[in-house]
Amino acid sequence: MLRVADALDGINRGLAHVIRWLALLMVLAQFAIVVGRYVFGVNSIAAQESVLYMHSTLFMLAAGYTLLVDKHVRVDVFYAGLSPRGQRRIDIFGHVFLLLPSMMALLYWSWPSVRNSWSILEGPIAVGGIEAVFLLKSLIPAFCVLIMLQSVALLIRLLCERRAQ
């Protein structure tokens, strides 16, 4: 079972190693936009939207990796004071009854919008923008799938730890 968890971890880890470069590209693009606008008087809606697309892609596709390395936001009012066994129980409950069902619901309810967007190859957000909103909307199901895969990997590890004790 741990091999399955390692393989699922590998998906998010590999994707994170590729998309992390979007942070640098995003900064460079924003710098070029500012220089272009204020130094040369040139403006491009598509260039501005490219920063939005990179930010969205970075955020949505790196969320699974963030869960993998335990750097997501955690409200641990009670969690921090619990024993490792209590923390493991809360984590298992959270994955099974909160995270996985919420991702399945988001995937289910967002799919018609994504499907419709692809069917018409939905155009730009603003006139002169990037003609690929359908790609932007596709990040929603990708986000859900990556989070669910990572949740399953973490759940496998939690259950294996439980059996080992």
Side-chain angles (χ1 to χ4, degrees), residues 29-44 48:
Q30 188 64 56
F31 179 74
I33 290 166
V34 170
V35 169
R37 180 183 298 159
Y38 294 107
V39 175
F40 300 108
V42 176
N43 192 19
S44 169
Q48 290 175 4

Side-chain angles (χ1 to χ4, degrees), residues 110-160:
S110 68
W111 185 250
S113 176
V114 175
R115 186 184 62 235
N116 290 340
S117 185
W118 270 89
S119 70
I120 62 170
L121 296 177
E122 191 171 355
I125 297 168
V127 175
I130 299 172
E131 296 192 24
V133 169
F134 61 98
L135 293 176
L136 198 58
K137 287 186 177 181
S138 298
L139 293 172
I140 299 168
F143 164 80
C144 293
V145 168
L146 291 169
I147 291 289
M148 287 190 295
L149 290 175
Q150 194 56 55
S151 181
V152 168
L154 292 171
L155 197 52
I156 289 170
R157 291 186 194 290
L158 288 165
L159 293 173
C160 286

Side-chain angles (χ1 to χ4, degrees), residues 47-158:
Q48 290 175 4
E49 279 189 9
S50 74
V51 175
L52 171 78
Y53 276 66
M54 286 186 274
H55 183 262
S56 301
T57 303
L58 182 63
F59 177 83
M60 298 293 272
L61 298 184
Y65 178 75
T66 305
L67 184 58
L68 167 66
V69 296
D70 199 24
K71 297 296 182 190
H72 56 286
V73 175
R74 183 188 293 264
V75 181
D76 60 353
V77 176
F78 303 108
Y79 188 87
L82 292 175
S83 67
R85 183 178 182 189
Q87 289 177 347
R88 192 169 41 256
R89 284 182 178 171
I90 286 179
D91 287 339
I92 291 170
F93 176 85
H95 285 286
V96 173
F97 295 106
L98 301 173
L99 184 59
L100 287 170
S102 66
M103 289 297 106
M104 285 187 264
L106 180 58
L107 184 61
Y108 177 80
W109 289 108
S110 68
W111 185 250
S113 176
V114 175
R115 186 184 62 235
N116 290 340
S117 185
W118 270 89
S119 70
I120 62 170
L121 296 177
E122 191 171 355
I125 297 168
V127 175
I130 299 172
E131 296 192 24
V133 169
F134 61 98
L135 293 176
L136 198 58
K137 287 186 177 181
S138 298
L139 293 172
I140 299 168
F143 164 80
C144 293
V145 168
L146 291 169
I147 291 289
M148 287 190 295
L149 290 175
Q150 194 56 55
S151 181
V152 168
L154 292 171
L155 197 52
I156 289 170
R157 291 186 194 290
L158 288 165

